[in-house]
Amino acid sequence: MTAIGWNTLVQPEAVAAALGDAQVVLVDCRFSLADPEAGERAYRQSHVPGARHAHLDRDLSGPPGLGRGRHPWPDAADFSRRLSAWGITPRSRVVAYDAGDGAFAARMWCLLRMLGHDAVAVLDGGWARWTALGLPVEADLPSPAPAPYEARFDDSRLLDVEAVQGHLAHGGLLVDARAPERFRGEVEPLDAVAGHVPGAINRPYAANLEDGRFKPAGQLRAEFMALLDGRAAHDLVAMCGSGVTACHHLLALEHAGLHGAGLFTGSWSGWIGDPSRPVATGDA
């Protein structure tokens, strides 16, 4: 069974029907910021049949560097080698999933889409919904045959600090996906400085969800159109703490039919790498 049309979200029942299709590759992206090895341990205990495991730090992030944030965007050649090791080719139809809300799976989705790989989707509801539906699981670890994969990222949609400053100066929209209390600077559990980039607005990535699943495309479109307030989608750049949950907004926008938004790759942790940069607190 083919997986035509899987380029934003896919439902568990459709994936279950496609298990065994050699063109469909599943990637388990479960991860915990509090315990970075928890996702891989859970994967080794049980996962969707045939799924590979992607570790956020080792597989979906690059090496550290000034201004690159806690989860730096990887080099295209390095990430392409990882795809090759997983047996993913440019013709593969990839399904990424995580424990439930899609935050880490969306990072995998975003990486592939920025390579120009259209046939990639996030499992709506993730592992939580897959298991709630009683769909097949296994503990066997796959041994995929390496496959060729070479591609370059669309750098026009990947912004560093200087590009974000220029984006704001020209009236662009910067949307911070962190929880409201982190955006306002009331708490900061992960980074050395609390607050947000001056000029950014807040839409928590959880606002894209309802009962653990993505809101309908039409509802997301209406909400983001109100946020854009007359701007085009490509005038929106998403950020978060380290460039991971911001990918959730890019996925939601794409699912809503709003194309071309950018990503502030270093995000807040990259912004505060230089203590001379301004910091805002509160709602504005």
Side-chain angles (χ1 to χ4, degrees):
M1 179 179 293
T2 59
I4 295 171
W6 295 4
N7 52 23
T8 54
L9 300 173
V10 62
Q11 300 307 314
E13 298 89 342
V15 176
L19 291 176
D21 184 334
Q23 289 298 312
V24 176
V25 180
L26 289 110
V27 183
D28 185 314
C29 302
R30 283 179 284 175
F31 188 81
S32 168
L33 293 173
D35 181 357
E37 304 310 319
E40 187 170 10
R41 287 198 304 271
Y43 164 79
R44 289 181 176 277
Q45 292 172 358
S46 186
H47 51 262
V48 176
R52 291 72 159 139
H53 182 260
H55 191 285
L56 176 62
D57 293 337
R58 295 193 293 268
D59 301 320
L60 306 183
S61 301
L66 185 63
R68 287 170 53 78
R70 285 183 284 106
H71 292 106
W73 192 261
D75 177 77
D78 291 341
F79 184 61
S80 293
R81 282 192 289 271
R82 173 49 54 196
L83 295 175
S84 297
W86 285 329
I88 294 174
T89 77
R91 297 178 301 281
S92 296
R93 296 195 171 271
V94 181
V95 177
Y97 70 90
D98 55 30
D101 67 11
F104 301 117
R107 171 74 166 207
M108 177 74 184
W109 174 89
C110 190
L111 283 161
L112 278 165
R113 289 304 292 267
M114 292 297 181
L115 284 178
H117 192 119
D118 290 330
V120 54
V122 167
L123 183 67
D124 194 17
W127 176 252
R129 187 154 174 258
W130 183 273
T131 53
L133 291 171
L135 296 173
V137 300
E138 68 177 17
D140 296 340
L141 302 182
S143 300
Y149 202 115
E150 294 184 12
R152 297 175 61 87
F153 288 123
D154 180 359
D155 291 332
S156 68
R157 296 178 62 192
L158 301 172
L159 285 74
D160 60 13
V161 169
E162 289 73 23
V164 164
Q165 290 172 321
H167 174 76
L168 287 168
H170 288 90
L173 189 64
L174 181 62
V175 180
D176 192 320
R178 293 177 298 162
E181 60 272 19
R182 288 186 70 196
F183 178 82
R184 293 192 296 262
E186 296 168 358
V187 298
E188 183 44 68
L190 297 170
D191 293 308
V193 178
H196 61 267
V197 175
I201 65 170
N202 185 219
R203 176 184 165 90
Y205 81 87
N208 300 327
L209 303 169
E210 194 169 73
D211 298 326
R213 298 171 61 185
F214 278 77
K215 293 175 178 176
Q219 184 176 348
L220 287 170
R221 184 179 180 88
E223 292 176 7
F224 276 107
M225 289 290 284
L227 202 68
L228 287 163
D229 192 24
R231 299 178 180 88
H234 63 252
D235 289 325
L236 185 152
V237 171
M239 66 167 289
C240 55
S242 67
V244 176
T245 59
C247 298
H248 204 276
H249 278 341
L250 299 191
L251 172 59
L253 282 157
E254 193 73 23
H255 187 58
L258 299 168
H259 312 296
L263 176 70
F264 179 9
T265 55
S267 283
W268 179 244
S269 53
W271 179 269
I272 61 174
D274 182 346
S276 70
R277 293 194 186 106
V279 170
T281 57
D283 288 318

